[in-house]
Amino acid sequence: MPRVSEDHLTARREQILAAARRCFLRNGLHNTSMQDLIREAGLSVGAVYRYFKSKDEIINAISQTVAGALVVQLDELAARKLPLLEAVSGVLDLIDRQLHPDGNFPLGLQVWSEAVLNPAIGTIVRNRYLELREPFRAITRTAVERGELPPDTDVEAVAAVLFGLLPGYGLQRQLVGFPDKDTYLAGVITLLTR
């Protein structure tokens, strides 16, 4: 029997993840069964279970991919050592790009809600959040180095608050359609400069 190439294995895995993502966005995370995912992927039960033993494993894989890509973008933003408000503006731009109906933010909302009910998903979300918070530490350290924040700034505390801007902005935009970036940023500027 010929060996299956690594490219083929990767393509099948990505096919399953793309099918899962479509199902989750269409039907919701909670309402999507493994049978739905298998049907959407157009593969056999054995083929899907070869790659993923459960829906939680699929959610973890999607979360790693999405959070991993966002961490890379946030790391790149932090590495630019921008003034604090420019860095915050860049973060909001990243969120704006994920707010469309088939973007990652709507899927993230579903994963967050499932995390409250499912301890395994809760662990996945916690791990992703810890990864996502690190670039905000770097942004905070840069703001301290630039003299925008006091030298004795509690980097952990400020990074936690800056990180909170990400879901806070995204949730408001997703759920009620506003504020727009300029309005949100004006509020951040008021808080930071008063």
PDB file of all heavy atoms in Angstrom, residues 41-70:
ATOM      1  N   ALA A  41     -17.656  17.836   5.706  1.00  0.00           N
ATOM      2  CA  ALA A  41     -16.313  17.599   5.172  1.00  0.00           C
ATOM      3  C   ALA A  41     -16.341  16.685   3.954  1.00  0.00           C
ATOM      4  O   ALA A  41     -15.414  16.702   3.143  1.00  0.00           O
ATOM      5  CB  ALA A  41     -15.414  17.006   6.252  1.00  0.00           C
ATOM      6  N   GLY A  42     -17.416  15.889   3.834  1.00  0.00           N
ATOM      7  CA  GLY A  42     -17.511  14.967   2.705  1.00  0.00           C
ATOM      8  C   GLY A  42     -16.532  13.806   2.810  1.00  0.00           C
ATOM      9  O   GLY A  42     -16.107  13.246   1.800  1.00  0.00           O
ATOM     10  N   LEU A  43     -16.198  13.434   4.025  1.00  0.00           N
ATOM     11  CA  LEU A  43     -15.261  12.338   4.262  1.00  0.00           C
ATOM     12  C   LEU A  43     -15.944  11.240   5.053  1.00  0.00           C
ATOM     13  O   LEU A  43     -17.026  11.436   5.603  1.00  0.00           O
ATOM     14  CB  LEU A  43     -14.039  12.858   5.040  1.00  0.00           C
ATOM     15  CG  LEU A  43     -13.195  13.920   4.345  1.00  0.00           C
ATOM     16  CD1 LEU A  43     -12.157  14.491   5.310  1.00  0.00           C
ATOM     17  CD2 LEU A  43     -12.518  13.346   3.116  1.00  0.00           C
ATOM     18  N   SER A  44     -15.287  10.103   5.137  1.00  0.00           N
ATOM     19  CA  SER A  44     -15.835   9.009   5.931  1.00  0.00           C
ATOM     20  C   SER A  44     -15.629   9.289   7.417  1.00  0.00           C
ATOM     21  O   SER A  44     -14.792  10.109   7.804  1.00  0.00           O
ATOM     22  CB  SER A  44     -15.139   7.696   5.561  1.00  0.00           C
ATOM     23  OG  SER A  44     -13.798   7.712   6.028  1.00  0.00           O
ATOM     24  N   VAL A  45     -16.395   8.581   8.232  1.00  0.00           N
ATOM     25  CA  VAL A  45     -16.263   8.704   9.683  1.00  0.00           C
ATOM     26  C   VAL A  45     -14.831   8.394  10.101  1.00  0.00           C
ATOM     27  O   VAL A  45     -14.211   9.126  10.874  1.00  0.00           O
ATOM     28  CB  VAL A  45     -17.263   7.759  10.400  1.00  0.00           C
ATOM     29  CG1 VAL A  45     -16.993   7.711  11.891  1.00  0.00           C
ATOM     30  CG2 VAL A  45     -18.694   8.169  10.108  1.00  0.00           C
ATOM     31  N   GLY A  46     -14.283   7.302   9.563  1.00  0.00           N
ATOM     32  CA  GLY A  46     -12.920   6.898   9.905  1.00  0.00           C
ATOM     33  C   GLY A  46     -11.892   7.943   9.510  1.00  0.00           C
ATOM     34  O   GLY A  46     -10.924   8.172  10.250  1.00  0.00           O
ATOM     35  N   ALA A  47     -12.105   8.573   8.365  1.00  0.00           N
ATOM     36  CA  ALA A  47     -11.151   9.593   7.910  1.00  0.00           C
ATOM     37  C   ALA A  47     -11.130  10.774   8.874  1.00  0.00           C
ATOM     38  O   ALA A  47     -10.057  11.288   9.221  1.00  0.00           O
ATOM     39  CB  ALA A  47     -11.507  10.061   6.504  1.00  0.00           C
ATOM     40  N   VAL A  48     -12.293  11.207   9.321  1.00  0.00           N
ATOM     41  CA  VAL A  48     -12.350  12.345  10.243  1.00  0.00           C
ATOM     42  C   VAL A  48     -11.757  11.956  11.591  1.00  0.00           C
ATOM     43  O   VAL A  48     -10.937  12.700  12.154  1.00  0.00           O
ATOM     44  CB  VAL A  48     -13.795  12.871  10.389  1.00  0.00           C
ATOM     45  CG1 VAL A  48     -13.880  13.911  11.496  1.00  0.00           C
ATOM     46  CG2 VAL A  48     -14.282  13.446   9.061  1.00  0.00           C
ATOM     47  N   TYR A  49     -12.143  10.793  12.118  1.00  0.00           N
ATOM     48  CA  TYR A  49     -11.645  10.382  13.426  1.00  0.00           C
ATOM     49  C   TYR A  49     -10.154  10.023  13.397  1.00  0.00           C
ATOM     50  O   TYR A  49      -9.525   9.956  14.453  1.00  0.00           O
ATOM     51  CB  TYR A  49     -12.481   9.239  13.996  1.00  0.00           C
ATOM     52  CG  TYR A  49     -13.757   9.730  14.633  1.00  0.00           C
ATOM     53  CD1 TYR A  49     -14.977   9.654  13.959  1.00  0.00           C
ATOM     54  CD2 TYR A  49     -13.751  10.303  15.895  1.00  0.00           C
ATOM     55  CE1 TYR A  49     -16.151  10.122  14.536  1.00  0.00           C
ATOM     56  CE2 TYR A  49     -14.911  10.773  16.484  1.00  0.00           C
ATOM     57  CZ  TYR A  49     -16.108  10.678  15.802  1.00  0.00           C
ATOM     58  OH  TYR A  49     -17.256  11.143  16.384  1.00  0.00           O
ATOM     59  N   ARG A  50      -9.599   9.828  12.231  1.00  0.00           N
ATOM     60  CA  ARG A  50      -8.155   9.626  12.118  1.00  0.00           C
ATOM     61  C   ARG A  50      -7.409  10.883  12.569  1.00  0.00           C
ATOM     62  O   ARG A  50      -6.325  10.803  13.130  1.00  0.00           O
ATOM     63  CB  ARG A  50      -7.790   9.294  10.671  1.00  0.00           C
ATOM     64  CG  ARG A  50      -6.310   9.171  10.441  1.00  0.00           C
ATOM     65  CD  ARG A  50      -6.001   8.855   9.010  1.00  0.00           C
ATOM     66  NE  ARG A  50      -4.579   8.613   8.845  1.00  0.00           N
ATOM     67  CZ  ARG A  50      -4.018   8.362   7.704  1.00  0.00           C
ATOM     68  NH1 ARG A  50      -4.748   8.294   6.604  1.00  0.00           N
ATOM     69  NH2 ARG A  50      -2.728   8.167   7.631  1.00  0.00           N
ATOM     70  N   TYR A  51      -8.008  12.037  12.310  1.00  0.00           N
ATOM     71  CA  TYR A  51      -7.362  13.315  12.621  1.00  0.00           C
ATOM     72  C   TYR A  51      -7.812  13.894  13.950  1.00  0.00           C
ATOM     73  O   TYR A  51      -7.025  14.532  14.642  1.00  0.00           O
ATOM     74  CB  TYR A  51      -7.651  14.329  11.506  1.00  0.00           C
ATOM     75  CG  TYR A  51      -7.057  13.916  10.193  1.00  0.00           C
ATOM     76  CD1 TYR A  51      -7.784  13.148   9.288  1.00  0.00           C
ATOM     77  CD2 TYR A  51      -5.764  14.268   9.861  1.00  0.00           C
ATOM     78  CE1 TYR A  51      -7.244  12.757   8.090  1.00  0.00           C
ATOM     79  CE2 TYR A  51      -5.198  13.881   8.656  1.00  0.00           C
ATOM     80  CZ  TYR A  51      -5.945  13.120   7.773  1.00  0.00           C
ATOM     81  OH  TYR A  51      -5.392  12.722   6.588  1.00  0.00           O
ATOM     82  N   PHE A  52      -9.077  13.714  14.274  1.00  0.00           N
ATOM     83  CA  PHE A  52      -9.643  14.324  15.485  1.00  0.00           C
ATOM     84  C   PHE A  52     -10.549  13.314  16.184  1.00  0.00           C
ATOM     85  O   PHE A  52     -11.476  12.802  15.584  1.00  0.00           O
ATOM     86  CB  PHE A  52     -10.451  15.573  15.123  1.00  0.00           C
ATOM     87  CG  PHE A  52      -9.644  16.621  14.419  1.00  0.00           C
ATOM     88  CD1 PHE A  52      -9.741  16.776  13.041  1.00  0.00           C
ATOM     89  CD2 PHE A  52      -8.786  17.448  15.127  1.00  0.00           C
ATOM     90  CE1 PHE A  52      -8.998  17.735  12.381  1.00  0.00           C
ATOM     91  CE2 PHE A  52      -8.033  18.409  14.478  1.00  0.00           C
ATOM     92  CZ  PHE A  52      -8.134  18.555  13.103  1.00  0.00           C
ATOM     93  N   LYS A  53     -10.298  13.117  17.466  1.00  0.00           N
ATOM     94  CA  LYS A  53     -11.077  12.136  18.225  1.00  0.00           C
ATOM     95  C   LYS A  53     -12.390  12.710  18.753  1.00  0.00           C
ATOM     96  O   LYS A  53     -13.272  11.962  19.151  1.00  0.00           O
ATOM     97  CB  LYS A  53     -10.256  11.617  19.381  1.00  0.00           C
ATOM     98  CG  LYS A  53      -8.900  11.065  18.964  1.00  0.00           C
ATOM     99  CD  LYS A  53      -8.721   9.651  19.383  1.00  0.00           C
ATOM    100  CE  LYS A  53      -7.399   9.055  19.004  1.00  0.00           C
ATOM    101  NZ  LYS A  53      -7.035   9.119  17.633  1.00  0.00           N
ATOM    102  N   SER A  54     -12.511  14.045  18.757  1.00  0.00           N
ATOM    103  CA  SER A  54     -13.712  14.654  19.314  1.00  0.00           C
ATOM    104  C   SER A  54     -13.896  16.065  18.763  1.00  0.00           C
ATOM    105  O   SER A  54     -12.981  16.642  18.175  1.00  0.00           O
ATOM    106  CB  SER A  54     -13.606  14.734  20.844  1.00  0.00           C
ATOM    107  OG  SER A  54     -12.596  15.659  21.210  1.00  0.00           O
ATOM    108  N   LYS A  55     -15.072  16.594  18.998  1.00  0.00           N
ATOM    109  CA  LYS A  55     -15.355  17.982  18.618  1.00  0.00           C
ATOM    110  C   LYS A  55     -14.451  18.935  19.392  1.00  0.00           C
ATOM    111  O   LYS A  55     -13.999  19.944  18.851  1.00  0.00           O
ATOM    112  CB  LYS A  55     -16.837  18.286  18.858  1.00  0.00           C
ATOM    113  CG  LYS A  55     -17.271  19.619  18.271  1.00  0.00           C
ATOM    114  CD  LYS A  55     -18.781  19.772  18.243  1.00  0.00           C
ATOM    115  CE  LYS A  55     -19.345  20.111  19.569  1.00  0.00           C
ATOM    116  NZ  LYS A  55     -20.774  20.532  19.520  1.00  0.00           N
ATOM    117  N   ASP A  56     -14.165  18.602  20.652  1.00  0.00           N
ATOM    118  CA  ASP A  56     -13.273  19.449  21.448  1.00  0.00           C
ATOM    119  C   ASP A  56     -11.887  19.553  20.807  1.00  0.00           C
ATOM    120  O   ASP A  56     -11.267  20.622  20.822  1.00  0.00           O
ATOM    121  CB  ASP A  56     -13.143  18.925  22.880  1.00  0.00           C
ATOM    122  CG  ASP A  56     -14.388  19.160  23.712  1.00  0.00           C
ATOM    123  OD1 ASP A  56     -15.330  19.837  23.223  1.00  0.00           O
ATOM    124  OD2 ASP A  56     -14.432  18.659  24.851  1.00  0.00           O
ATOM    125  N   GLU A  57     -11.389  18.460  20.255  1.00  0.00           N
ATOM    126  CA  GLU A  57     -10.087  18.495  19.570  1.00  0.00           C
ATOM    127  C   GLU A  57     -10.149  19.405  18.347  1.00  0.00           C
ATOM    128  O   GLU A  57      -9.187  20.118  18.050  1.00  0.00           O
ATOM    129  CB  GLU A  57      -9.642  17.094  19.156  1.00  0.00           C
ATOM    130  CG  GLU A  57      -9.086  16.276  20.291  1.00  0.00           C
ATOM    131  CD  GLU A  57      -8.455  14.970  19.819  1.00  0.00           C
ATOM    132  OE1 GLU A  57      -8.197  14.798  18.606  1.00  0.00           O
ATOM    133  OE2 GLU A  57      -8.211  14.106  20.684  1.00  0.00           O
ATOM    134  N   ILE A  58     -11.261  19.380  17.643  1.00  0.00           N
ATOM    135  CA  ILE A  58     -11.426  20.247  16.472  1.00  0.00           C
ATOM    136  C   ILE A  58     -11.481  21.705  16.917  1.00  0.00           C
ATOM    137  O   ILE A  58     -10.831  22.573  16.314  1.00  0.00           O
ATOM    138  CB  ILE A  58     -12.680  19.847  15.671  1.00  0.00           C
ATOM    139  CG1 ILE A  58     -12.463  18.474  15.029  1.00  0.00           C
ATOM    140  CG2 ILE A  58     -13.014  20.901  14.617  1.00  0.00           C
ATOM    141  CD1 ILE A  58     -13.687  17.883  14.377  1.00  0.00           C
ATOM    142  N   ILE A  59     -12.226  21.979  17.966  1.00  0.00           N
ATOM    143  CA  ILE A  59     -12.306  23.350  18.490  1.00  0.00           C
ATOM    144  C   ILE A  59     -10.926  23.825  18.923  1.00  0.00           C
ATOM    145  O   ILE A  59     -10.531  24.963  18.647  1.00  0.00           O
ATOM    146  CB  ILE A  59     -13.315  23.421  19.656  1.00  0.00           C
ATOM    147  CG1 ILE A  59     -14.729  23.174  19.132  1.00  0.00           C
ATOM    148  CG2 ILE A  59     -13.225  24.768  20.378  1.00  0.00           C
ATOM    149  CD1 ILE A  59     -15.752  22.902  20.210  1.00  0.00           C
ATOM    150  N   ASN A  60     -10.171  22.950  19.566  1.00  0.00           N
ATOM    151  CA  ASN A  60      -8.815  23.302  19.995  1.00  0.00           C
ATOM    152  C   ASN A  60      -7.943  23.635  18.783  1.00  0.00           C
ATOM    153  O   ASN A  60      -7.215  24.633  18.794  1.00  0.00           O
ATOM    154  CB  ASN A  60      -8.202  22.165  20.809  1.00  0.00           C
ATOM    155  CG  ASN A  60      -6.881  22.558  21.426  1.00  0.00           C
ATOM    156  OD1 ASN A  60      -6.686  23.689  21.851  1.00  0.00           O
ATOM    157  ND2 ASN A  60      -5.960  21.624  21.482  1.00  0.00           N
ATOM    158  N   ALA A  61      -8.025  22.821  17.743  1.00  0.00           N
ATOM    159  CA  ALA A  61      -7.209  23.057  16.546  1.00  0.00           C
ATOM    160  C   ALA A  61      -7.576  24.383  15.881  1.00  0.00           C
ATOM    161  O   ALA A  61      -6.692  25.153  15.468  1.00  0.00           O
ATOM    162  CB  ALA A  61      -7.370  21.899  15.562  1.00  0.00           C
ATOM    163  N   ILE A  62      -8.871  24.666  15.773  1.00  0.00           N
ATOM    164  CA  ILE A  62      -9.304  25.929  15.180  1.00  0.00           C
ATOM    165  C   ILE A  62      -8.842  27.092  16.060  1.00  0.00           C
ATOM    166  O   ILE A  62      -8.321  28.091  15.565  1.00  0.00           O
ATOM    167  CB  ILE A  62     -10.833  25.961  14.984  1.00  0.00           C
ATOM    168  CG1 ILE A  62     -11.239  24.986  13.870  1.00  0.00           C
ATOM    169  CG2 ILE A  62     -11.314  27.370  14.654  1.00  0.00           C
ATOM    170  CD1 ILE A  62     -12.746  24.789  13.737  1.00  0.00           C
ATOM    171  N   SER A  63      -8.996  26.951  17.372  1.00  0.00           N
ATOM    172  CA  SER A  63      -8.582  28.008  18.296  1.00  0.00           C
ATOM    173  C   SER A  63      -7.087  28.268  18.202  1.00  0.00           C
ATOM    174  O   SER A  63      -6.650  29.420  18.231  1.00  0.00           O
ATOM    175  CB  SER A  63      -8.953  27.646  19.735  1.00  0.00           C
ATOM    176  OG  SER A  63     -10.339  27.565  19.877  1.00  0.00           O
ATOM    177  N   GLN A  64      -6.292  27.213  18.102  1.00  0.00           N
ATOM    178  CA  GLN A  64      -4.846  27.387  17.973  1.00  0.00           C
ATOM    179  C   GLN A  64      -4.502  28.134  16.695  1.00  0.00           C
ATOM    180  O   GLN A  64      -3.658  29.024  16.707  1.00  0.00           O
ATOM    181  CB  GLN A  64      -4.140  26.032  17.973  1.00  0.00           C
ATOM    182  CG  GLN A  64      -3.992  25.435  19.335  1.00  0.00           C
ATOM    183  CD  GLN A  64      -3.260  24.109  19.291  1.00  0.00           C
ATOM    184  OE1 GLN A  64      -3.389  23.326  18.353  1.00  0.00           O
ATOM    185  NE2 GLN A  64      -2.493  23.841  20.327  1.00  0.00           N
ATOM    186  N   THR A  65      -5.166  27.780  15.606  1.00  0.00           N
ATOM    187  CA  THR A  65      -4.890  28.433  14.329  1.00  0.00           C
ATOM    188  C   THR A  65      -5.270  29.901  14.378  1.00  0.00           C
ATOM    189  O   THR A  65      -4.485  30.776  13.998  1.00  0.00           O
ATOM    190  CB  THR A  65      -5.664  27.727  13.195  1.00  0.00           C
ATOM    191  OG1 THR A  65      -5.271  26.351  13.161  1.00  0.00           O
ATOM    192  CG2 THR A  65      -5.393  28.360  11.859  1.00  0.00           C
ATOM    193  N   VAL A  66      -6.472  30.194  14.865  1.00  0.00           N
ATOM    194  CA  VAL A  66      -6.965  31.567  14.905  1.00  0.00           C
ATOM    195  C   VAL A  66      -6.144  32.400  15.879  1.00  0.00           C
ATOM    196  O   VAL A  66      -5.658  33.481  15.548  1.00  0.00           O
ATOM    197  CB  VAL A  66      -8.465  31.593  15.277  1.00  0.00           C
ATOM    198  CG1 VAL A  66      -8.932  33.000  15.584  1.00  0.00           C
ATOM    199  CG2 VAL A  66      -9.297  30.984  14.153  1.00  0.00           C
ATOM    200  N   ALA A  67      -5.981  31.884  17.105  1.00  0.00           N
ATOM    201  CA  ALA A  67      -5.221  32.639  18.113  1.00  0.00           C
ATOM    202  C   ALA A  67      -3.762  32.768  17.693  1.00  0.00           C
ATOM    203  O   ALA A  67      -3.154  33.820  17.880  1.00  0.00           O
ATOM    204  CB  ALA A  67      -5.332  31.969  19.474  1.00  0.00           C
ATOM    205  N   GLY A  68      -3.219  31.715  17.100  1.00  0.00           N
ATOM    206  CA  GLY A  68      -1.832  31.767  16.649  1.00  0.00           C
ATOM    207  C   GLY A  68      -1.607  32.858  15.615  1.00  0.00           C
ATOM    208  O   GLY A  68      -0.628  33.606  15.690  1.00  0.00           O
ATOM    209  N   ALA A  69      -2.520  32.974  14.663  1.00  0.00           N
ATOM    210  CA  ALA A  69      -2.402  34.016  13.643  1.00  0.00           C
ATOM    211  C   ALA A  69      -2.536  35.401  14.267  1.00  0.00           C
ATOM    212  O   ALA A  69      -1.802  36.337  13.906  1.00  0.00           O
ATOM    213  CB  ALA A  69      -3.461  33.820  12.555  1.00  0.00           C
ATOM    214  N   LEU A  70      -3.451  35.536  15.235  1.00  0.00           N
ATOM    215  CA  LEU A  70      -3.634  36.829  15.889  1.00  0.00           C
ATOM    216  C   LEU A  70      -2.416  37.181  16.745  1.00  0.00           C
ATOM    217  O   LEU A  70      -1.974  38.336  16.765  1.00  0.00           O
ATOM    218  CB  LEU A  70      -4.910  36.819  16.735  1.00  0.00           C
ATOM    219  CG  LEU A  70      -5.318  38.147  17.363  1.00  0.00           C
ATOM    220  CD1 LEU A  70      -5.430  39.261  16.331  1.00  0.00           C
ATOM    221  CD2 LEU A  70      -6.641  37.987  18.110  1.00  0.00           C
TER     222      LEU A  70
END
